[in-house]
Structures are given as C-alpha cells and as structure tokens.
Amino acid sequence: MSKGTITNRGKFLKNIRGKIGGISPDKPVEKPDWTVNPQRRVMKDFDQDQLVEVLEKQCHHIHTDFFLTNSESLQETLDQVLASYQTRSIVYSYDNRFHTYQLPEFFKNFAKKPEHEVFKWNDENREESISFSERADVGDYL
C-alpha cells in the first residue's frame, strides 16, 4: 500500500461516527454483557496436547504453517523456519519471555549477517517502528 496524505480525515471520521450511531473518541464502545457464553465451554476440558492438536488442524484449514517445538529447540526451529522463508528482516515486540527463551541473543546473531535487519518495536518512536514493520519480512510477537 502506498503512503499518502489523508485529507479531511477528522471530518470523514466524524461523518462515519454519526452514521453508525454516536461513537466518538471520547466515548469508548462498551462491550455487551452477554447472558450466554458458549465459546468458553467448547474446549474447557481439553488438556494442552489436545489444544495443540486443535491449533495444528485449524492452521491447516487456514493455510498457515504450523511448527511444534520446545524451549530447548526454539532457536534452532526459528532459525530453520526463517531460513525456509528467506527472511531478511524481523520486527519484534518485547516481553519478559524473550529473555526466558534467550531470543535477544538469537536476534543479535541473526542481525550479524550483512543482509539481515532486526528491529525492536519502540513505543517511544512509533513512526520509525511502523516504517520498519511495513517492510519487515517477519513480525515476531509472543
């Protein structure tokens, strides 16, 4: 998608808000209080292996690759997957689990190759983060 200038954005959004019923930036949409929540009971008795099996099947149905690994093999699996996708650029978010699985070191090693780029999302500089994300081959979020 090419970048451009949005003209009359505020006026356009105000018009849309008026047509769909009074939504405004200062009045958040309230989540309905449903009386019935069947989705919470569908797999409530499944163990972790059964849930993984459901996920794998669903990934197949939506034409999404599924890779199963463990924490000891995570870096090796990531390396293989990124190589198979010919990945050259990665943007990633950050949370404490990255240190648990030693992913900062993995990203540093990945970035050592001259053709590779790694970028950590930065909330303080959203424009730069968005710009890199637009051209990144992979987004890695835990």
Side-chain angles (χ1 to χ4, degrees):
M1 174 181 273
S2 63
K3 286 188 173 186
T5 304
I6 301 173
T7 56
N8 298 320
R9 181 176 190 259
K11 185 177 176 182
F12 171 77
L13 291 174
K14 184 178 179 181
N15 185 26
I16 294 295
R17 284 185 200 109
K19 290 187 181 204
I20 61 173
I23 298 171
S24 68
D26 57 325
K27 181 182 162 192
V29 177
E30 292 182 25
K31 187 176 179 181
D33 185 22
W34 304 108
T35 57
V36 179
N37 294 301
Q39 71 275 18
R40 298 194 189 278
R41 295 188 307 264
V42 174
M43 294 181 244
K44 74 175 184 149
D45 295 325
F46 281 29
D47 64 22
Q48 187 171 0
D49 291 335
Q50 290 170 310
L51 290 171
V52 168
E53 188 177 321
V54 169
L55 174 63
E56 184 175 12
K57 287 178 184 175
Q58 186 59 34
C59 286
H60 176 74
H61 290 302
I62 62 172
H63 310 289
T64 303
D65 295 331
F66 176 87
F67 301 92
L68 182 64
T69 191
N70 57 34
S71 57
E72 292 81 28
S73 302
L74 176 61
Q75 290 187 26
E76 182 182 339
T77 302
L78 266 176
D79 197 42
Q80 291 169 356
V81 171
L82 295 174
S84 73
Y85 290 143
Q86 300 175 350
T87 302
R88 291 189 170 168
S89 57
I90 300 172
V91 60
Y92 70 99
S93 65
Y94 179 81
D95 72 29
N96 292 331
R97 293 174 291 180
F98 275 69
H99 280 292
T100 302
Y101 300 114
Q102 300 174 346
L103 292 178
E105 293 81 18
F106 174 82
F107 291 136
K108 279 183 193 174
N109 290 332
F110 181 86
K112 286 181 181 176
K113 295 181 181 172
E115 68 274 8
H116 289 177
E117 290 181 276
V118 175
F119 184 86
K120 178 180 164 186
W121 182 273
N122 181 353
D123 283 333
E124 302 297 317
N125 190 346
R126 289 182 51 83
E127 291 302 317
E128 183 182 10
S129 296
I130 290 169
S131 177
F132 188 91
S133 296
E134 287 174 342
R135 67 179 197 285
D137 296 322
V138 170
D140 194 1
Y141 302 94
L142 284 180

